[in-house]
């Protein structure tokens, strides 16, 4: 009987860990499985073109503080308009690329992450150009073919990046890719050309956004921008923009999160139709409608950005009409889209009952269980847990932001290290508890129930406040990632506690057998 009763906490903890793992996996599944239902299929009118051609240069992972040091970026900014754009969240490349050519944020484009997405069901610069008989050409990553392949006339994917992330290998690759870009785009007469310069992002990931390696490679990226401007800029307006920045943490970079150095990216544009302007702040989604106006295309129907009028040379007689066209698109989209604030408030109200029950359950567990032991010992054990878990965050290079993952390939190892960190901290805390309180096999289970309840309370709060699933609107990436880490910590605590309990049981059996 006593033995059966001892199994209850272990069973409860196992169920809680399994449930946490399931909630974590299925909440991220709502992001990767998300498909946009917001497509607005309306053709708007367009005004006269301000430029004959536009070349959109996407400088992958270029930080704003680095851009102001680079000669080609500076020269472009000096001749035209420049500033900073707020990028998409999650601050990943593919959601940003989709936003750049559609004017739509991830929830509307449907490109919410780097790997799982369908071609956006919405209008893009490419589809609008094709409808008007305007040719488009792209050279960049495989993303363009996958997302917009049906709409682009000529696509060329770069040769594979080098296996080595040495600075020399990256710069050689970027120089070769630049030759390819010049060859393909130079030979093209397409009025809309897009080129992605990728090596700066690799250097950012590998060395960090403030490193010498990053500086060296972004200098070569900028040199390529200079060559593109020299070769194509005489009859094309150049729009150079970055898709996100990079953190610099423990000798590596990363992005995806909400750090200011990641969330803001530089842009500069010059050429026909662009006037000189003081630097200003804008948003990534403003680029697509601005390029539309430059090329005389309709504004993409799902565009959520604003035309950067401050950057455009408006011709007398057309200014008022162009602004009316922008207003018509904005109005039509506003009428088409559901009210975000009201929808989010309704979802939040729907989460209240479950949140109250869950919070009540975990609070009752913490209070009830802490009364069965010695409060002082429990508190010290919890402090030990917090200290060791925190130390492991440092040693294992963890963090509460997607940017701390460094690279997408490290995602599973990152989460695995978090589970390990929680398990190790549980081991340290239960060791401490055994020293403080009289040896009592139940104390490990008790401690694990208290610790998991604390994490579960934090997850419950995020669930109530922001939701853990993507339901029509982008999930709050910052709190969502923290909740994901907390759910994995629950799995780690349970794993640690069960291992200790298992070893102890084996140990005491051996004692009896002997
Ligand atoms: Zn990128």
């Amino acid at each position: 009987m006593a033995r059966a009763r001892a199994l209850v906490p272990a069973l409860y903890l196992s169920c809680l860990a399994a449930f946490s793992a399931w909630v974590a996996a299925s909440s991220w599944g709502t992001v990767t499985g998300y498909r946009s239902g917001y497509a607005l299929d309306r053709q708007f009118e367009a005004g006269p073109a301000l430029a004959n051609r536009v070349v959109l240069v996407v400088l992958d992972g270029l930080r704003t503080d680095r851009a102001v040091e680079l000669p080609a970026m500076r020269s472009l900014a000096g001749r035209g308009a420049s500033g900073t754009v707020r990028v998409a969240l999650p601050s990943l490349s593919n959601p940003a690329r989709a936003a750049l050519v559609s004017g739509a944020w991830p929830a509307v484009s449907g490109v919410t992450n780097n790997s799982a997405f369908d071609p956006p069901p919405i209008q893009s610069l490419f589809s609008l150009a094709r409808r008007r008989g305007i040719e488009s050409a792209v050279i960049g990553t495989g993303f363009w073919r996958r997302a917009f392949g049906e709409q682009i006339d000529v696509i060329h994917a770069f040769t594979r990046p080098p296996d080595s992330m040495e600075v020399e290998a990256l710069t050689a690759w970027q120089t070769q890719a630049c030759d390819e870009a010049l060859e393909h785009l130079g030979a093209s007469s397409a009025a809309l050309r897009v080129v992605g310069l990728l090596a700066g992002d690799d250097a950012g990931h590998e060395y960090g956004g403030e490193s010498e390696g990053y500086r060296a490679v972004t200098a070569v990226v900028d040199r390529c921008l200079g060559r593109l401007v020299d070769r194509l800029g005489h009859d094309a307006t150049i729009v150079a923009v970055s898709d996100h920045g990079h953190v610099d943490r423990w000798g590596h970079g990363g992005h995806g999160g909400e750090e200011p150095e990641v969330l803001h990216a530089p842009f500069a544009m010059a050429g026909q139709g662009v006037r000189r302007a003081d630097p200003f702040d804008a948003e990534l989604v403003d680029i697509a409608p601005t390029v539309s106006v430059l090329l005389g295309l309709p504004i993409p129907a799902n565009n959520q950005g604003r035309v950067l009028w401050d950057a455009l040379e408006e011709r007398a007689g057309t200014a008022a009409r162009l602004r009316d066209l922008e207003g018509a698109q904005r109005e039509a989209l506003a009428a088409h889209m559901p009210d975000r604030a009201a929808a989010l408030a309704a979802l939040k109200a729907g989460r209240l009952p479950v949140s109250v029950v869950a919070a009540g359950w975990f609070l009752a567990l913490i209070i009830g269980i802490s009364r069965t032991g010695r409060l002082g010992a429990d508190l010290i054990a919890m402090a030990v847990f917090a200290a060791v878990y925190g130390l492991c965050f440092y040693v294992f290079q963890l963090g509460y932001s997607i940017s701390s993952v460094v690279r997408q390939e490290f995602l599973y190892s990152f989460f695995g290290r978090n589970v390990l960190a929680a398990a190790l901290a549980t081991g340290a805390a239960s060791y401490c508890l055994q020293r403080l309180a009289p040896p009592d096999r139940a104390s490990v289970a008790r401690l694990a129930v208290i610790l998991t309840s604390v994490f579960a309370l934090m997850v419950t709060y995020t669930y109530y406040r922001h939701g853990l699933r993507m339901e029509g609107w982008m999930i709050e990436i910052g709190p969502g990632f923290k909740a994901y880490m907390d759910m994995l910590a629950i799995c780690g605590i349970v794993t640690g506690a069960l291992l200790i309990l298992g070893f102890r049981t084996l140990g005491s059996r051996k004692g009896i057998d002997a």
Side-chain angles (χ1 to χ4, degrees):
M1 191 62 201
R3 183 158 238 167
R5 214 183 298 146
L7 277 177
V8 172
L11 203 63
Y12 164 77
L13 286 169
S14 307
C15 291
L16 183 68
F19 183 66
S20 297
W22 176 77
V23 173
S26 75
S27 66
W28 183 239
T30 62
V31 177
T32 53
Y34 175 79
R35 298 297 176 262
S36 168
Y38 296 128
L40 172 60
D41 191 23
R42 256 185 66 184
Q43 294 291 328
F44 292 95
E45 285 177 54
L50 305 180
N52 295 328
R53 294 188 167 79
V54 170
V55 179
L56 177 60
V57 186
V58 186
L59 305 143
D60 206 311
L62 182 64
R63 282 168 53 131
T64 44
D65 56 356
R66 182 64 182 130
V68 296
E69 301 171 340
L70 297 170
M73 272 302 270
R74 285 172 61 121
S75 147
L76 207 57
R79 289 193 289 120
S82 65
T84 299
V85 286
R86 186 175 66 91
V87 306
L89 266 179
S91 48
L92 301 171
S93 299
N94 287 345
R97 290 173 183 138
L100 271 173
V101 295
S102 68
W105 293 117
V108 172
S109 74
V111 184
T112 58
N113 66 102
N114 270 347
S115 35
F117 56 85
D118 282 348
I122 57 175
Q123 293 174 4
S124 71
L125 294 173
F126 306 120
S127 70
L128 293 166
R130 172 167 285 180
R131 224 183 139 92
R132 301 218 142 200
I134 293 175
E135 205 186 322
S136 61
V138 173
I139 178 159
T141 71
F143 165 81
W144 297 106
R145 189 183 301 279
R146 183 169 158 200
F148 298 103
E150 299 285 300
Q151 307 170 358
I152 301 170
D153 295 308
V154 183
I155 311 183
H156 182 83
F158 282 126
T159 42
R160 248 168 48 81
D163 292 327
S164 158
M165 286 289 133
E166 295 287 317
V167 170
E168 292 72 24
L170 286 174
T171 53
W173 174 56
Q174 184 60 81
T175 305
Q176 187 202 338
C178 195
D179 295 342
E180 281 177 55
L182 284 165
E183 190 190 320
H184 282 82
L185 295 186
S188 159
S189 59
L192 171 60
R193 283 171 280 181
V194 177
V195 53
L197 304 182
L198 306 169
D201 183 56
D202 286 303
H205 283 289
E206 188 70 13
Y207 304 109
E210 290 164 17
S211 63
E212 276 309 309
Y214 178 75
R215 295 175 63 81
V217 176
T218 46
V220 174
V221 169
D222 183 69
R223 217 169 295 147
C224 179
L225 173 65
R227 292 173 68 195
L228 286 164
V229 173
D230 287 347
R231 174 81 179 271
L232 309 172
H234 60 280
D235 73 339
T237 300
I238 308 281
V239 179
V241 61
S242 163
D243 54 349
H244 54 76
H246 260 283
V247 294
D248 192 307
R249 204 164 164 258
W250 297 330
H252 290 291
H255 55 92
E258 299 178 284
E259 298 82 0
E261 65 272 34
V262 167
L263 207 51
H264 297 95
F267 77 92
M269 56 179 93
Q272 235 184 358
V274 175
R275 66 168 144 149
R276 285 184 64 162
D278 289 333
F280 59 89
D281 291 338
E283 304 205 318
L284 196 72
V285 290
D286 299 341
I287 300 294
T290 305
V291 172
S292 290
V293 170
L294 278 168
L295 284 175
L297 295 173
I299 291 175
N302 278 99
N303 160 61
Q304 297 174 284
R306 289 171 177 277
V307 176
L308 298 175
W309 298 114
D310 287 350
L312 297 184
E313 219 164 54
E314 293 180 71
R315 288 177 198 163
T318 63
R321 172 160 157 70
L322 285 174
R323 280 168 201 263
D324 285 348
L325 292 175
E326 182 191 28
Q329 183 270 329
R330 290 185 72 84
E331 249 171 60
L333 184 68
H336 172 72
M337 294 287 288
D339 182 346
R340 179 173 182 267
L344 290 181
L347 287 170
K348 190 174 175 185
R351 293 192 295 266
L352 185 63
V354 174
S355 308
V356 169
V357 170
W361 167 256
F362 294 117
L363 268 177
L365 270 183
I366 292 173
I367 295 166
I369 286 185
S370 53
R371 288 171 68 175
T372 64
R374 279 206 261 150
L375 188 62
D378 282 349
L379 284 176
I380 292 173
M382 284 172 74
V384 169
F385 176 90
V388 176
Y389 191 49
L391 181 72
C392 286
F393 256 55
Y394 182 75
V395 176
F396 297 163
Q397 306 195 338
L398 298 169
Y400 287 132
S401 161
I402 300 184
S403 306
S404 21
V405 179
V406 180
R407 270 180 188 281
Q408 197 166 331
E409 301 91 282
F410 301 162
L411 204 61
Y412 289 107
S413 104
F414 183 87
F415 293 138
R417 279 177 274 149
N418 180 36
V419 173
L420 180 64
L424 288 175
T426 305
S430 66
Y431 173 79
C432 166
L433 198 60
Q434 289 297 310
R435 304 299 297 245
L436 291 167
D440 161 20
R441 205 179 305 156
S443 64
V444 177
R446 263 191 39 246
L447 178 71
V449 172
I450 295 175
L451 287 171
T452 52
S453 298
V454 172
F455 277 93
L457 275 176
M458 293 192 283
V459 175
T460 304
Y461 176 71
T462 304
Y463 165 73
Y464 169 65
R465 183 98 203 272
H466 306 287
L468 299 175
R469 303 173 69 78
M470 187 164 174
E471 294 172 287
W473 310 95
M474 195 65 215
I475 201 162
E476 287 286 339
I477 283 296
F481 191 83
K482 162 82 165 59
Y484 195 101
M485 292 287 280
D486 288 346
M487 289 185 270
L488 293 180
I490 290 176
C491 298
I493 294 166
V494 172
T495 309
L498 292 183
L499 280 175
I500 296 166
L501 285 173
F503 282 127
R504 290 230 180 112
T505 310
L506 277 178
S508 63
R509 278 245 179 93
K510 270 197 184 141
I512 295 165
D513 292 346

